[in-house]
Amino acid sequence: MKLTLRPLPGRRLAEQLREAGVEFPCGGEGICGGCRVRVLDGKIPVTEPMRQLLSPRELADGWRLACMAETSRPVTVEVEQWSIRVLSDEAGTAVEPRRGWGVAVDLGTTTVVAQLVHLETGEIEGIETALNAQARFGADVMSRIQHELRHPGDLRQVIRDQLGAMLRRLAAGRRISEVLLVGNTAMHHLFCGLDVAPLAGVPFLSPNTGEQSFGPDEMPWRAPTTFLPCLGGFVGSDLLAGVVATRLDRAADQQALFDIGTNGEIVVAWRRSLRCASTAAGPAFEGGRIRHGMRACEGAIDAVRLENGRLAPHVIGDTEPRGICGSGLVDAAARALDAGLLLPNGRLKESPLPLAPGIEITQSDIRQLQLAKGAMAAGMKLLARDAVRLRLAGAFGNYLHPGSAKRIGLLPEDVEVEPAGNAALRGARMLLLEPSSRQQRIRRILALTEHVELAADPSFQDVFAESMRLEPYRLR
């Protein structure tokens, strides 16, 4: 998409780009290189951070960092950050008929999905998806929490305004009777206007993880609104809804539900109870802090195979590659291990490792992958030792190739793995459509659940360090 901007008094060009929808994955600090735009006409001067994060070839081709952009004359840039694969869910579910329309919302760190549901029939009458507008303040939850501590209320206003616009388009003049939201603990606090200071440091436990309800006059869409309770710590109501969707609380054997993202959340059915934990992986699986990382949208390398000892990428949209998304990064590491181009300790024999013209994997990228996958694998090893089945929730988990994830040691090789779709959204819709039993079901799940603080486990650091190796592992 082309965008022409003109300098405005007192306004940086970066602010105009942000308002136009350009993502600043690091919050605009010029440290990740994820907000690249290409100058088609005009001039954006090169800054020192741009020289550090962009290659001479990229600079010569017109690429600049949007968060550093300044100009004194009109400029036209190419922006390709809007189209992204967002996981929705349209599976059927039981209905307790009542009049009107309701909305189920999965408020994720990266994406927002809202479904308009006919409360009498259970039919989905509309779906709205979008990138979370809070991303302008940082790709991961800790960046946003730090911004909230400095500027209280900013993120609450941004997400409520965005969701208000989405719901107006969905409703199209119809009166919404109820809105039900789920999300991780940070999204819960930021949306509800709760104090995020307890989430900013050890032990990352907040006293305000319960259900939050709002009257019609408190929300732009003027309908009763409920944000469902978190399971504990950084394990949010998205995993609570996932438990509902997968019926994990009624599982007869040892099963686990794993949501892999910037924050890995896991719930395990264990001895007729539930144990949950979270582990911070950072944004690597969503393209953050990766040299040529990007979201899973057109132009992203999402899969890699091995051909004659070389890495051969697949690109979303069968177009020229612009970068690599999380599933492509995991694939590339797995195939590089197979070819002997990457050692289990994480050292690249050739650095950077070329994938496509202008796209390469650096030693720093592999380090970010090791940190992210090490945190996830450590959580699995400590919490799900006896699991025989693993359900993957969320977009990344559903687009991830299990064979590659097992090859690098992200997932255990001796456990059956299957995608669960957008379990958070499906669970939210199930609870929306069964209002009389909703609270009973939620109370039962909360009573069954024990939150485990992995960082407090004396063995966590050792298991984490061990799990950074890029090699398969087994739970049993």
Side-chain angles (χ1 to χ4, degrees), residues 78-136:
E78 177 184 20
V79 180
E80 297 179 330
Q81 298 188 22
W82 281 278
S83 177
I84 182 172
R85 297 193 301 197
V86 179
L87 192 64
S88 184
D89 187 280
E90 300 183 45
T93 184
V95 182
E96 183 183 312
R98 54 184 169 136
R99 300 183 63 183
W101 288 269
V103 177
V105 179
D106 174 20
L107 179 53
T109 306
T110 304
T111 59
V112 184
V113 186
Q115 288 183 337
L116 180 70
V117 183
H118 196 293
L119 298 177
E120 191 166 12
T121 65
E123 294 293 321
I124 298 169
E125 299 200 352
I127 300 174
E128 279 277 335
T129 65
L131 291 168
N132 189 326
Q134 293 175 335
R136 70 184 65 169

Side-chain angles (χ1 to χ4, degrees), residues 311-382:
L311 303 183
H314 173 270
V315 181
I316 297 174
D318 293 323
T319 184
E320 290 296 316
R322 296 192 294 114
I324 184 168
C325 65
S327 62
L329 180 63
V330 172
D331 256 17
R335 301 293 77 78
L337 285 167
D338 292 340
L341 302 171
L342 174 65
L343 300 180
N345 65 6
R347 186 173 70 84
L348 282 170
K349 286 191 173 181
E350 176 187 351
S351 181
L353 181 64
L355 275 182
I359 310 296
E360 56 196 16
I361 294 176
T362 69
Q363 190 64 66
S364 175
D365 296 339
I366 294 297
R367 177 66 172 175
Q368 291 296 326
L369 174 63
Q370 287 181 278
L371 290 169
K373 91 93 187 173
M376 297 293 180
M380 283 293 299
K381 291 175 182 178
L382 291 173

Side-chain angles (χ1 to χ4, degrees), residues 180-386:
L180 210 60
L181 294 101
V182 298
N184 63 46
T185 306
M187 294 304 102
H188 170 274
H189 278 50
L190 291 171
F191 177 90
C192 298
L194 300 172
D195 181 17
V196 298
L199 302 179
V202 177
F204 304 105
L205 298 175
S206 170
N208 301 311
T209 57
E211 181 174 298
Q212 300 290 317
S213 297
F214 305 89
D217 294 338
E218 298 179 78
M219 292 294 153
W221 45 89
R222 304 193 65 78
T225 299
T226 301
F227 208 122
L228 295 182
C230 306
L231 286 179
F234 263 99
V235 185
S237 53
D238 49 353
L239 263 287
L240 167 71
V243 169
V244 172
T246 60
R247 304 185 184 277
L248 195 66
D249 55 319
R250 298 170 181 172
D253 56 1
Q254 303 286 357
Q255 298 186 26
L257 177 67
F258 201 7
D259 189 344
I260 307 175
T262 56
N263 187 55
E265 301 168 84
I266 182 171
V267 183
V268 181
W270 184 74
R271 296 181 182 176
R272 298 187 179 180
S273 66
L274 299 172
R275 303 178 77 199
C276 71
S278 64
T279 181
F285 291 133
E286 295 177 351
R289 298 178 188 164
I290 302 301
R291 179 70 177 80
H292 290 107
M294 62 182 293
R295 308 288 191 197
C297 59
E298 185 173 319
I301 295 172
D302 67 335
V304 178
R305 65 185 185 277
L306 200 59
E307 289 185 354
N308 300 319
R310 299 183 66 84
L311 303 183
H314 173 270
V315 181
I316 297 174
D318 293 323
T319 184
E320 290 296 316
R322 296 192 294 114
I324 184 168
C325 65
S327 62
L329 180 63
V330 172
D331 256 17
R335 301 293 77 78
L337 285 167
D338 292 340
L341 302 171
L342 174 65
L343 300 180
N345 65 6
R347 186 173 70 84
L348 282 170
K349 286 191 173 181
E350 176 187 351
S351 181
L353 181 64
L355 275 182
I359 310 296
E360 56 196 16
I361 294 176
T362 69
Q363 190 64 66
S364 175
D365 296 339
I366 294 297
R367 177 66 172 175
Q368 291 296 326
L369 174 63
Q370 287 181 278
L371 290 169
K373 91 93 187 173
M376 297 293 180
M380 283 293 299
K381 291 175 182 178
L382 291 173
L383 202 67
R385 292 190 184 97
D386 299 319

Side-chain angles (χ1 to χ4, degrees), residues 63 104 247 276 326 399 415 471:
W63 291 102
R247 304 185 184 277
C276 71
Y399 295 125
V415 173
E471 59 188 7

